[in-house]
Amino acid sequence: MAYHLLQHDRKGAQRLGDAVCHALLTIKHCQRCNTFSEGNICERCASSRRDSTLLCVVETPIDMNMMEQTQSYQGLYYVLMGKISPLDGVGPKDIGLDRLMARVLDGDVQEVILATNYTNEGEATAHYITAMLASKGVRVSRIARGVPVGGELEYVDSGTLAQALRERKAYGG
Amino acid sequence: MAYHLLQHDRKGAQRLGDAVCHALLTIKHCQRCNTFSEGNICERCASSRRDSTLLCVVETPIDMNMMEQTQSYQGLYYVLMGKISPLDGVGPKDIGLDRLMARVLDGDVQEVILATNYTNEGEATAHYITAMLASKGVRVSRIARGVPVGGELEYVDSGTLAQALRERKAYGG
């Protein structure tokens, strides 16, 4: 891309450079949900049409977009912008969990939905947040783990199948 | 394979042919769980070390093997050897659900775990079995649906994520 811009599109390169500099100057973190935002509060947090009793905790803005794409969530978010990862030297303080705490206790949040990844780091982060929120009077839930929609047992790994079996639930038909 | 056997290994071909004929003659369906078996009752059904209060319903013997590989299930099985699939003209009678009913009511089954696939056909089959078992005094459960173990939100389809959100559960840390 660099060669193409330098040889064929020097004006485009100028525009790209300006855009990147502009983004660096204007895009900051939303004071409520911590995602990228041009204003102090992002549009989603400012919206009165979202359910402010639900707070979904995700690792990255991309994960937030994935949740939005399901079109089945109307609550608010908190974006960690990271995850606890001891092997990489990232602890609870490094991802600002104290700000998450402040956010939960500040608003009218009744349920915190942990939607961190089902990786070791995501699980560790979910555990830590749950411990932090214990005895704070908010419900803490975790998105379900199991066989994917459309999934066939034959192609599912045994770890997932074992979990799906362990977390089986009463079936109403 | 056919060319290789005919040209290089005619004795092997004879052995293969004999083996297939032998299998056709000796392998039948277990009278309890309906899977392939050399005896009237398969080893698993005959074992006294399995928990006979749990009955896991799967579509195929392969699915049964998958469940066994999780090493986290000690109950018994019922293998449908098919699934309800109206588009292919396969109805409840074609897969012998009446025999499943007899099996459930015959033994000391307390919980039927539906482990049919999360495809349309598998879901239809699970629904039908649940309706059949209603008011028969056995618990009916379904393996969990959601994000696979090790799964990252970024790479999960929205259908699965929506389900995982809908079926979120209280998190104890």
Side-chain angles (χ1 to χ4, degrees):
Chain A
M1 194 177 90
Y3 284 119
H4 175 85
L5 285 173
L6 283 171
Q7 193 174 351
H8 299 292
D9 191 6
R10 296 184 76 93
K11 278 190 186 166
Q14 184 67 51
R15 281 202 305 278
L16 179 64
D18 289 346
V20 171
C21 292
H22 180 73
L24 280 174
L25 283 176
T26 56
I27 293 188
K28 45 198 167 184
H29 290 281
C30 168
Q31 289 173 5
R32 301 274 288 168
C33 74
N34 202 32
T35 193
F36 295 122
S37 164
E38 288 197 35
N40 287 331
I41 306 284
C42 73
E43 282 184 17
R44 202 168 283 124
C45 286
S47 166
S48 60
R49 288 160 63 190
R50 310 284 306 199
D51 180 353
S52 61
T53 63
L54 288 174
L55 189 75
C56 181
V57 177
V58 291
E59 293 179 16
T60 65
I62 299 171
D63 292 344
M64 184 169 78
N65 290 346
M66 294 302 293
M67 292 294 293
E68 283 296 286
Q69 278 174 30
T70 67
Q71 302 193 328
S72 54
Y73 182 67
Q74 287 301 317
L76 295 171
Y77 293 91
Y78 187 87
V79 182
L80 296 172
M81 293 284 176
K83 58 200 166 196
I84 296 177
S85 178
L87 287 179
D88 301 316
V90 180
K93 275 177 194 159
D94 301 305
I95 58 171
L97 288 188
D98 44 340
R99 275 186 297 143
L100 167 61
M101 276 296 277
R103 170 68 185 87
V104 170
L105 300 178
D106 173 41
D108 44 2
V109 176
Q110 287 169 17
E111 179 177 353
V112 172
I113 301 170
L114 299 173
T116 53
N117 290 333
Y118 267 115
T119 55
N120 289 340
E121 292 85 2
E123 281 283 79
T125 309
H127 272 80
Y128 198 93
I129 295 173
T130 306
M132 272 175 53
L133 289 175
S135 75
K136 300 292 183 194
V138 285
R139 256 177 301 148
V140 179
S141 62
R142 184 88 169 96
I143 54 170
R145 183 161 46 173
V147 178
V149 171
E152 305 188 28
L153 267 62
E154 198 175 336
Y155 306 110
V156 169
D157 63 290
S158 354
T160 296
L161 201 50
Q163 273 292 344
L165 181 68
R166 206 170 305 140
E167 297 185 3
R168 65 184 183 269
K169 43 190 279 181
Y171 192 57
Chain B
M1 196 177 88
Y3 285 119
H4 175 85
L5 286 173
L6 284 172
Q7 194 175 350
H8 300 293
D9 192 5
R10 296 184 76 92
K11 277 190 189 168
Q14 185 66 51
R15 282 201 306 278
L16 179 63
D18 290 344
V20 170
C21 291
H22 180 73
L24 280 174
L25 284 175
T26 56
I27 294 188
K28 44 200 170 185
H29 290 280
C30 169
Q31 289 174 4
R32 301 274 289 169
C33 74
N34 203 32
T35 194
F36 294 123
S37 163
E38 288 198 36
N40 286 330
I41 307 286
C42 74
E43 282 185 17
R44 204 167 281 124
C45 285
S47 166
S48 60
R49 288 160 63 190
R50 311 283 307 198
D51 179 353
S52 62
T53 62
L54 289 174
L55 190 76
C56 181
V57 177
V58 293
E59 294 180 15
T60 66
I62 300 171
D63 293 345
M64 184 169 77
N65 290 345
M66 294 302 294
M67 291 295 292
E68 283 296 287
Q69 278 174 30
T70 66
Q71 303 192 328
S72 53
Y73 181 67
Q74 286 301 316
L76 295 172
Y77 293 92
Y78 188 87
V79 183
L80 295 172
M81 292 284 174
K83 59 202 165 193
I84 296 176
S85 178
L87 287 179
D88 301 315
V90 180
K93 275 177 196 160
D94 301 303
I95 57 171
L97 288 188
D98 43 340
R99 274 187 297 144
L100 167 61
M101 276 295 278
R103 169 68 185 88
V104 170
L105 300 178
D106 172 42
D108 43 359
V109 175
Q110 287 171 16
E111 178 176 356
V112 172
I113 302 169
L114 299 173
T116 54
N117 290 333
Y118 268 115
T119 55
N120 289 340
E121 291 85 2
E123 282 282 80
T125 310
H127 272 80
Y128 198 92
I129 295 174
T130 306
M132 273 175 52
L133 290 175
S135 75
K136 300 291 183 193
V138 284
R139 256 176 299 149
V140 180
S141 62
R142 184 89 168 99
I143 53 171
R145 185 161 43 176
V147 178
V149 171
E152 304 188 29
L153 268 63
E154 198 175 337
Y155 306 110
V156 169
D157 63 291
S158 357
T160 295
L161 201 49
Q163 272 292 345
L165 181 68
R166 206 170 305 140
E167 298 185 2
R168 67 184 183 268
K169 42 189 280 179
Y171 193 57

